Amino acid sequence: MHGEPDELIPLKVLIAGGFGVGKTTLVRSLSEIPPFLTEQAMTAASIGVDDADAVPGKTTTTVAMDFGRMTVDESLILYLFGTPGQSRFWFMWDELARGAVGAVVLVDLRRVDDCFAAIDYFENRRLPFVVGVNRFPGADEYDQETVRDALALPPDCPLVWMDARDPESGSAALVALVEHALARTAVPR
């Protein structure tokens, strides 16, 4: 009927990356609802397992997932699922990834090795992803080509500079992801 709203399209998006890279911060900054967070205090059990020295001041960690919701317009809603960053929780990624349209892989250029597991995960599963360089100190010292080479990104993988604390910046990364996912579905494999 004329005048009725279009059918609502829900899209599941993952926010992934290494330990302490800003996944929970991004979900928190984008969610229009109070986000569901599974952050717990880091304990002595993480000594020797999590490299907390690389993230000064970090006292909590995600132990399951983060969840938030973002309405793009009257027909599109994004469900945001933040993955845990530590390898001991990676067993949950397969469940979180089921049905996802794609992922934003956050990167801290001070600890670039921490993002390779997430990039490999999505490449191996042929799930669209964009790389979001979170603007930690020193991030702006590198140009796009240097970062693309360091991460061995495929030429069609979007690379965006962003600040996980800034909703506008995070939204731009999500737009890049949705556009990338749509472009991939339009191209025959």
Side-chain angles (χ1 to χ4, degrees):
M1 289 177 73
H2 188 34
E4 287 187 20
D6 292 333
E7 184 177 326
L8 185 63
I9 302 170
L11 295 179
K12 181 179 184 181
V13 173
L14 299 183
I15 309 298
F19 174 70
V21 77
K23 300 175 297 293
T24 298
T25 300
L26 182 58
V27 170
R28 186 180 282 130
S29 76
L30 291 173
S31 186
E32 66 196 20
I33 61 171
F36 172 75
L37 307 174
T38 61
E39 282 198 310
Q40 295 295 314
M42 293 175 61
T43 65
S46 70
I47 296 172
V49 177
D50 299 327
D51 186 7
D53 293 337
V55 191
K58 184 161 178 63
T59 60
T60 61
T61 189
T62 299
V63 296
M65 68 173 194
D66 298 322
F67 174 78
R69 183 183 75 202
M70 179 181 166
T71 302
V72 176
D73 59 30
E74 62 278 347
S75 64
L76 181 63
I77 190 165
L78 300 179
Y79 293 104
L80 310 172
F81 289 82
T83 64
Q86 302 93 314
S87 60
R88 68 180 181 275
F89 297 124
W90 287 348
F91 68 91
M92 296 173 9
W93 283 34
D94 287 336
E95 285 302 316
L96 290 173
R98 185 171 285 123
V101 69
V104 174
V105 176
L106 291 178
V107 175
D108 179 348
L109 292 180
R110 301 170 301 178
R111 301 176 293 126
V112 73
D113 289 348
D114 292 353
C115 74
F116 287 121
I119 289 173
D120 290 347
Y121 180 89
F122 298 115
E123 282 181 337
N124 290 336
R125 284 154 184 83
R126 302 176 63 90
L127 192 64
F129 68 95
V130 300
V131 172
V133 175
N134 202 357
R135 283 204 154 103
F136 286 104
D140 292 331
E141 295 175 17
Y142 302 95
D143 60 50
Q144 285 250 354
E145 223 31 63
T146 301
V147 173
R148 293 185 81 73
D149 288 345
L151 299 177
L153 292 179
D156 67 329
C157 179
L159 176 66
V160 297
W161 261 250
M162 57 173 292
D163 183 334
R165 301 166 296 183
D166 175 31
E168 199 171 301
S169 176
S171 295
L174 292 175
V175 167
L177 171 62
V178 172
E179 288 174 349
H180 178 56
L182 288 171
R184 284 185 45 156
T185 60
V187 178
R189 296 192 195 269

